[in-house]
Amino acid sequence: MDFMVEEMSDLATRRTRSGEDYLEFLKVPALNAGVYELAAGADDPQTPHDEDELYYVVVGRAVFRAPGAERPVRPGSVIYVRANVPHKFLKIDEDLRLLVFFSSWQKR
């Protein structure tokens, strides 16, 4: 695949129809990408990942927790998490929609 164009609204609809919190929409050798959504008041069930990760908050408000830090996040927030670092979203005040990018370069 040389390129891809997706609409966030279409990805959100596909994610909803899947019945899962996460929809992977891109998987190439060095990069995976998906949409992760959590409803207001939900618990974030994720566990540490074995890939570096970047989140972009599209909509919603919450608190992001990683070892030694808690930070409020909102639309426009960009969050980087190194591989194998425990993290999660807490105090989800508004439905949260995140674009998530995983770097697979370590697995090559």
Side-chain angles (χ1 to χ4, degrees), residues 54-73:
L54 186 74
Y55 292 98
Y56 175 76
V57 180
V58 178
V59 297
R61 293 183 185 278
V63 171
F64 178 79
R65 177 188 285 166
E70 283 191 9
R71 294 274 312 266
V73 296

Side-chain angles (χ1 to χ4, degrees), residues 15-63:
R15 202 263 343 136
T16 299
R17 287 184 182 150
S18 77
E20 301 292 328
D21 293 334
Y22 182 74
L23 170 75
E24 181 177 78
F25 65 88
L26 175 69
K27 186 173 182 123
V28 294
L31 178 70
N32 298 11
V35 176
Y36 188 44
E37 295 188 20
L38 295 164
D43 285 329
D44 182 359
Q46 60 180 316
T47 57
H49 315 291
D50 60 357
E51 300 167 319
D52 287 356
E53 183 176 18
L54 186 74
Y55 292 98
Y56 175 76
V57 180
V58 178
V59 297
R61 293 183 185 278
V63 171

Side-chain angles (χ1 to χ4, degrees), residues 76-89:
S77 295
V78 177
I79 306 152
Y80 165 75
V81 183
R82 187 174 43 85
N84 301 307
V85 171
H87 61 282
K88 63 177 40 195
F89 293 91

